Amino acid sequence: MKKIDLRSDTVTKPTDAMIRAMAEAEVGDDVYREDPTVNRLEEIAAERLGKEAALFVTSGTQGNQVAVLTHCVNGDEVIAEAESHIFYYEGGAMSALAGVQTRTLAGVRGALRAEDVEKAIRSTTNIHFPRTKLICLENTHNRAGGAVITPEKMKSVYEVGQKHGIPVHLDGARLFNAAVALGVDVRELSQYTTSVQICLSKGLSAPVGSILAGDRAFIEEARWWRKKLGGGLRQVGYLAAPGILALTDMTERLAEDHNHAKMLAEGLRNLSLEVEPVETNIVLVKTDSIQTTAVEFLKRLADQGVYAVDFDEYVIRFTTHRHISEEDVQYVLQIVERLLASVPAAK
Ligand SMILES: *Cc1c(COP(=O)(O)O)cnc(C)c1O
């Protein structure tokens, strides 16, 4: 049976060019900063993101947590969107590792409103209060269905941060998806951040790793935190080499994934399913209208070789990526049509 894996863009495997680059990588001990391939990746990434410096980290979670550890001390308060990955999906690491507490604010399709952020910032004169030391943004916003946060919205929050002397960290796991969807250079977005994390291992297809970028002093301190977390790796140029290709060759093709996601969404709507607006490579589908839980529907899909994930009791997430073709999308739509015909309560 054909297997179509729409669980996540993290399932993408390295390209042939990436595998060749891994085999041929020039390496050294990166803890001594002697790995030329890592050094090159970090230079290219900093350039691409418009920052002074960058650090290769093992995962998006490590990049986000190193950022929180670098920006904050125990007892500080961090403002984050209520369904942001850094709050929702990182095992409580912000409180466990950095000892900070999170002030969550509900966003609009993942975007924090600048006025809400400003109201949530703690007065520094009241002895009862913790200190607000960081604002976190996420672009694209995963749980908001791959929603794009516009440069204007990022700017308005960044300016509030500037006004109060509070840095902004961007979880840009899928920041290139946002830039491609907006048709802008990624710096248009990253300019409104103090630090930014991007994933090389999602739609960009590298096997491992993320980048944390910021100014030189921030990255020096982040390097120390990464070492404390056990993230100081040695001949890691073998993993940085495909990361370089992720940044130089793989960003523009994300438009293809976005087209496939839109195609999938349109097809599902034509089958009378309720689908959230699609801006990038994520499609959220509601299953309450067919009186079937996400988990039940996923089981039926899996029986037909189609894989996705549940996002809520009645919400399924499909994620398109490099291994999903237009034919695959059509095939998935045929499967869903057949399943709906067999759901007694459908329509
Ligand atoms: C995947 C993801 C991360 C974490 O990346 P890992 O490499 O899986 O740790 C962080 N933020 C967002 C929005 C993500 O989608």
Side-chain angles (χ1 to χ4, degrees):
M1 189 173 45
K2 206 172 155 90
K3 182 182 167 186
I4 300 184
D5 194 346
L6 292 151
R7 287 174 304 165
S8 178
D9 44 10
T10 55
V11 303
T12 46
K13 293 182 180 164
T15 62
D16 292 343
M18 285 178 176
I19 290 175
R20 276 197 304 276
M22 291 169 81
E24 292 163 8
E26 210 187 313
V27 298
D29 188 331
D30 182 49
V31 173
Y32 293 131
R33 307 220 196 165
E34 287 170 5
D35 189 305
T37 308
V38 174
N39 293 342
R40 194 149 51 88
L41 168 63
E42 291 178 346
E43 267 167 44
I44 290 170
E47 222 283 303
R48 211 52 219 274
L49 293 163
K51 298 292 183 199
E52 282 177 10
L55 186 68
F56 185 43
V57 291
T58 55
S59 67
T61 300
Q62 189 179 65
N64 285 339
Q65 295 305 324
V66 163
V68 175
L69 285 158
T70 307
H71 287 298
C72 301
V73 300
N74 289 24
D76 284 345
E77 189 162 83
V78 175
I79 294 174
E81 204 280 327
E83 300 213 8
S84 58
H85 193 284
I86 201 167
F87 170 71
Y88 202 98
Y89 285 125
E90 299 189 7
M94 270 202 283
S95 66
L97 303 180
V100 296
Q101 66 180 21
T102 317
R103 180 86 172 269
T104 58
L105 303 176
V108 182
R109 281 189 56 74
L112 288 179
R113 275 182 295 233
E115 60 267 33
D116 294 346
V117 171
E118 184 147 37
K119 262 185 252 162
I121 292 172
R122 305 287 198 152
S123 147
T124 50
T125 54
N126 188 324
I127 198 171
H128 300 84
F129 286 165
R131 295 191 172 148
T132 307
K133 279 295 163 67
L134 184 62
I135 300 163
C136 292
L137 300 179
E138 182 173 316
N139 200 5
T140 63
H141 194 292
N142 178 27
R143 284 192 62 82
V148 171
I149 317 298
T150 60
E152 295 72 34
K153 286 185 181 141
M154 290 195 54
K155 181 173 187 229
S156 62
V157 172
Y158 183 68
E159 283 176 350
V160 167
Q162 293 285 97
K163 184 174 152 194
H164 295 268
I166 300 169
V168 172
H169 172 69
L170 173 64
D171 178 352
R174 297 187 179 87
L175 190 61
F176 283 98
N177 293 84
V180 165
L182 289 162
V184 302
D185 189 281
V186 76
R187 291 187 203 88
E188 289 287 319
L189 298 162
S190 58
Q191 67 179 317
Y192 302 119
T193 69
T194 314
S195 59
V196 52
Q197 181 275 121
I198 58 149
C199 285
L200 302 169
S201 64
K202 290 196 166 161
L204 301 183
S205 300
V208 173
S210 271
I211 290 290
L212 178 63
D215 71 26
R216 218 172 290 286
F218 172 85
I219 292 299
E220 280 309 302
E221 184 73 1
R223 190 178 290 277
W224 182 73
W225 277 109
R226 183 188 69 173
K227 187 73 177 76
K228 289 226 291 199
L229 296 179
L233 304 179
R234 304 296 176 172
Q235 285 75 34
V236 71
Y238 293 121
L239 297 176
I244 291 172
L245 292 173
L247 289 176
T248 56
D249 294 7
M250 305 301 285
T251 58
E252 291 311 309
R253 65 150 305 288
L254 294 172
E256 213 175 289
D257 301 342
H258 300 174
N259 288 338
H260 291 157
K262 282 175 188 152
M263 224 176 271
L264 178 63
E266 186 158 312
L268 292 169
R269 284 192 197 109
N270 288 339
L271 297 172
S272 299
L273 285 167
E274 196 183 330
V275 183
E276 294 285 335
V278 171
E279 297 176 57
T280 54
N281 67 329
I282 292 176
V283 181
L284 298 186
V285 184
K286 298 196 176 160
T287 62
D288 37 355
S289 66
I290 53 167
Q291 282 98 54
T292 309
T293 64
V295 170
E296 272 175 78
F297 203 75
L298 286 170
K299 215 175 293 159
R300 286 185 219 161
L301 282 171
D303 288 341
Q304 304 299 316
V306 175
Y307 298 86
V309 295
D310 60 303
F311 241 33
D312 240 320
E313 196 178 359
Y314 292 99
V315 180
I316 290 175
R317 184 189 78 169
F318 293 94
T319 307
T320 57
H321 52 76
R322 198 179 104 246
H323 304 316
I324 300 296
S325 64
E326 185 173 339
E327 293 73 56
D328 293 335
V329 170
Q330 298 308 333
Y331 180 83
V332 170
L333 290 170
Q334 281 169 24
I335 300 271
V336 173
E337 183 168 21
R338 227 183 302 147
L339 289 179
L340 290 178
S342 68
V343 173
K347 298 178 207 169

